[in-house]
Structure formats: C-alpha cells, structure tokens
C-alpha cells in the first residue's frame, strides 16, 4: 500500500471515529433544543419563557457547543489513542470559539493526531520507567501547546473565513437556489454511503443546529437512507436481475435503510460501483429536493423513516424518502437491464 493511500485510510478511519463519538452530543442537543422550541409559546424558539423549557434549551445548547471539540478530540483519538484526546479537544475548542466550525474541528483533530503520533515516535527510545510520563505529562504540556498555537495563530483565521463564506453561500442558496443546495447535499450524502463525502455533507447540515436551522438536516436525512432502501426495493421490483445472495443483501439493506444506515448499500456498490453509485446519487438528489421544497425540518442527526417523529411535514418527509428510494431502485434496474442488453 502506498504511503498516500495509507494516510488517506488513516484519516478516513479517524474521521469516522470522531463522528461516531460526536453524534450522541448532537442528538441530545438537537432533540432538546427542538423540543424546547416546539413547546415554547412563540413556536420559533425566539421567546422561550417557560423555566423548564429554558433549562432544556440550555442543556441542549451546551451539548451542541461541545460538538466540535468532541469531534476533534476523537478524530485525534482515532490517530493516536487516549493521549491525543486532550490536544484534540483543546484544538477543537479553539476552532469553535473562533468561528472555524466543524471544518476547524476536523483540522484540529487531524493536527493533534499527527502531532501526538510524532511525539510518541520520538519517545520510543526513552527508558520504560519514563514512558508513563508521555501521555500524562509530555503530550498535554507540549503537544497541547503546539496544537493550540497552530490553531490559534495559523488555522482558525482562514478556516473561519471559509466557514463565513459557506454560511453566506448557504443563506443565498436558501433564499434563491434551494433546489441546487438540496441537490448538492443529496448527491454528497448518497455518494459514498457513510464515507467521508457523506460525512462532510452531514456535518455541514448538523453544524447549523445551534443556529436553529433544521431545513438542511431534512434533505440529508432523506439521502442517508435512499441508497439502502433503493437497493432493497430494486431486488423486490426485478428479482430476476439479482442472484440469491443479492436478494438476501437487499432484505438487510431495507432494514438498514429504515433506521438510516447508509452502509446497507455498500455490498451492492462494491460489486458494481459504476452503476450503483450513480443510481444512489440520482435517488438521493430527488429525495433531498422534495424534502427541501416541502420545507421539511429534521431535528436529529440521523436519517431513515425512524426519525419521522422528529421531522416536520411528516407525510412529505416520508414521501421524499419513498420517491427517492423508488428512483434509486428504478435507476439501478434500468442500468442493469441496459448492460445485459448490450451483452446479448
């Protein structure tokens, strides 16, 4: 394996680790902020006056504020284990407080991971009796300082500028180009079925929860589940096109799609990526656009029919999922029939 491929795989694995640890914080924050908002007298979260709802909202806000530091901490953990958590968390906190958002958190986590890996490699020759000092003394004091200084004086300014530009772009898209925005989010979310492109789209949508913007999460939630649901439906719609193992994988994909696990479509994509990935993307785009045009909001960082209770315009949300999934199924079956016709 080439060095570049190895490092790309390392970053991908660390990114998925960070997202996995971050999601519970986003779920807690998003759901309780949404609950306080929905039950407030204004209905928009502008004037939450009930003391209990204000407390719930504050708990949710605190959890959302921890999203970026936790993401950074556990991306770093994915690189260099527990010793990297502290530098990663600090770097992520610097990113959050200086407007660098989730992009800054990703940079902080990767930076901390590599810095700690480098420190560990330098400390290999030291006596075993002193190695216990590395994770509890050397890494926090030296690596923590390195990460904080680089983040504070080099990284946050340009990344915050990028985030500011993305926010401005988002607002302009929301006002006049909602369909294009939904298409981009749907394409990215469905593209690699839980991979890094999917993660970037999801994080982009979820990062706006603490600003009360939930309309981005709904298209993403739809496109998360259309690939596995679409593949499962394809095996039911045209069983003669699929062998027995694929039909079994289709049943599993249906269940995984219902609970929002994009990875249910991976077995199909692994066998035939040139047909499956385009079909997934087309269905994801269609479903995401329908959700956006319907004005759906979704208050949990997850996808699938299972999150319908925390979505607005629930019927349209489900319709978006169903239509996107059917489009995916139709596309992949058409692609397979077309290929078989050429081979005759």
């Amino acid at each position: 394996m080439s060095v570049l491929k190895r490092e790309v795989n390392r970053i991908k694995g660390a990114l998925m680790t960070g997202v996995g640890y971050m999601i519970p914080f986003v779920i807690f924050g998003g759901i309780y902020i949404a609950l306080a908002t929905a039950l407030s007298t204004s209905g928009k979260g502008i004037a939450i006056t009930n003391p209990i709802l204000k407390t719930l909202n504050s708990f949710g806000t605190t959890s959302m504020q921890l999203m970026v530091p936790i993401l950074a901490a556990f991306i770093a953990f994915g690189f260099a284990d527990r010793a990297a958590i502290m530098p990663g968390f600090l770097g992520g906190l610097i990113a959050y407080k200086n407007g660098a958002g989730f992009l800054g958190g990703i940079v902080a986590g990767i930076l901390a991971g590599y810095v700690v890996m480098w420190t560990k490699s330098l400390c290999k020759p030291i006596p075993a009796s002193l190695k216990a000092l590395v994770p509890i003394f050397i890494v926090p004091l030296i690596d923590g300082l390195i990460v904080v200084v680089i983040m504070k004086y080099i990284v946050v300014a340009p990344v915050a500028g990028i985030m500011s530009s993305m926010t401005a772009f988002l607002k302009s898209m929301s006002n006049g180009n909602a369909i294009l925005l939904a298409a981009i989010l749907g394409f990215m979310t469905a593209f690699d079925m839980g991979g890094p492109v999917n993660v970037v789209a999801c994080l982009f949508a979820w990062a706006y929860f603490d600003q009360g913007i939930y309309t981005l999460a709904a298209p993403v939630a739809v496109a998360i589940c259309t690939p596995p649901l679409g593949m499962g439906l394809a095996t039911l719609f045209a069983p003669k096109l699929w062998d027995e193992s694929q039909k079994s994988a289709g049943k599993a994909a249906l269940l995984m799609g219902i609970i929002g696990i994009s990875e249910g479509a991976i077995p199909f994509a692994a066998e035939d990526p040139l047909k499956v990935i385009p079909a997934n993307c087309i269905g994801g785009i269609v479903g995401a656009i329908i959700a956006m045009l319907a004005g759906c909001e979704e208050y949990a960082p997850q996808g699938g029919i299972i999150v319908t209770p925390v979505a607005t315009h629930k019927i349209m949300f489900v319709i978006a999922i169903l239509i996107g999934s059917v489009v995916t199924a139709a596309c992949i079956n058409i692609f397979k029939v077309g290929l078989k016709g050429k081979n005759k």
Side-chain angles (χ1 to χ4, degrees):
M1 182 184 295
S2 68
V3 174
L4 178 60
K5 186 174 182 180
R6 183 191 69 203
E7 294 309 312
V8 168
N9 288 337
R10 192 199 303 272
I11 291 171
K12 178 180 176 181
L15 183 63
M16 300 306 294
T17 299
V19 170
Y21 280 96
M22 177 203 73
I23 282 178
F25 288 84
V26 185
I27 289 176
F28 181 93
I31 293 297
Y32 281 109
I33 290 172
L35 182 64
T37 299
L39 297 179
S40 66
T41 54
S42 68
K44 295 292 183 182
I46 298 171
I48 301 175
T49 55
N50 182 285
I52 295 176
L53 295 180
K54 287 178 72 174
T55 301
L56 286 179
N57 187 69
S58 69
F59 289 162
T61 300
T62 299
S63 186
M64 291 300 298
Q65 290 170 345
L66 290 172
M67 180 182 80
V68 172
I70 290 294
L71 173 67
F74 285 96
I75 289 174
F77 170 78
F79 279 94
D81 297 324
R82 289 181 296 175
I85 290 176
M86 177 268 184
F89 189 93
L90 277 183
L93 191 61
I94 294 289
Y96 175 77
K97 288 191 171 183
N98 288 274
F102 78 91
L103 288 179
I106 291 172
V107 173
I110 293 172
L111 172 65
Y114 276 115
V115 168
V116 175
M117 286 173 61
W118 173 68
T119 299
K120 284 184 171 182
S121 67
L122 291 180
C123 292
K124 281 184 178 179
I126 68 174
S129 58
L130 298 177
K131 282 190 176 179
L133 296 176
V134 174
I136 63 173
F137 188 80
I138 296 175
V139 167
L141 291 182
I142 297 177
D143 293 1
L145 181 62
I146 291 172
V147 171
V148 167
V149 168
I150 292 176
M151 289 297 299
K152 178 72 174 177
Y153 296 105
I154 298 176
V155 173
V156 293
V159 176
I162 293 172
M163 287 297 295
S164 178
S165 298
M166 288 174 63
T167 301
F169 175 71
L170 166 64
K171 289 180 178 177
S172 68
M173 295 279 280
S174 297
N175 292 331
N177 299 286
I179 292 177
L180 179 58
L181 176 60
I184 293 170
L185 289 175
F187 173 85
M188 293 179 65
T189 305
F191 177 73
D192 55 357
M193 297 149 284
V197 177
N198 166 286
V199 168
V200 169
C202 292
L203 288 178
F204 178 76
W206 301 340
Y208 289 92
F209 276 9
D210 64 349
Q211 298 182 32
I213 299 174
Y214 299 97
T215 50
L216 299 180
V220 165
V222 169
I224 281 174
C225 64
T226 52
L229 289 176
M231 291 300 114
L233 290 175
T235 64
L236 297 179
F237 291 165
K240 293 182 180 180
L241 295 177
W242 307 90
D243 62 32
E244 290 304 316
S245 65
Q246 290 169 328
K247 292 175 186 176
S248 296
K251 293 175 183 177
L254 286 172
L255 293 175
M256 295 173 78
I258 289 171
I259 60 176
I261 300 177
S262 292
E263 289 83 350
I266 288 179
F268 297 91
E271 289 185 7
D272 201 352
L274 295 181
K275 291 196 289 291
V276 171
I277 291 175
N280 286 345
C281 291
I282 293 169
I285 289 169
V286 171
I289 289 174
I290 293 171
M292 180 69 85
L293 290 178
C296 297
E297 296 182 338
E298 200 268 312
Y299 300 124
Q302 182 61 18
I305 296 174
I306 195 173
V307 300
T308 303
V310 291
T312 62
H313 305 293
K314 293 177 174 55
I315 293 176
M316 287 306 302
F317 181 74
V318 173
I319 288 174
I321 291 175
L322 294 177
I323 292 178
S325 301
V326 169
V327 168
T328 296
C331 285
I332 186 59
N333 283 341
I334 290 170
F335 295 160
K336 288 177 73 68
V337 169
L339 182 63
K340 285 191 174 187
K342 289 181 181 180
N343 291 336
K344 285 182 179 181

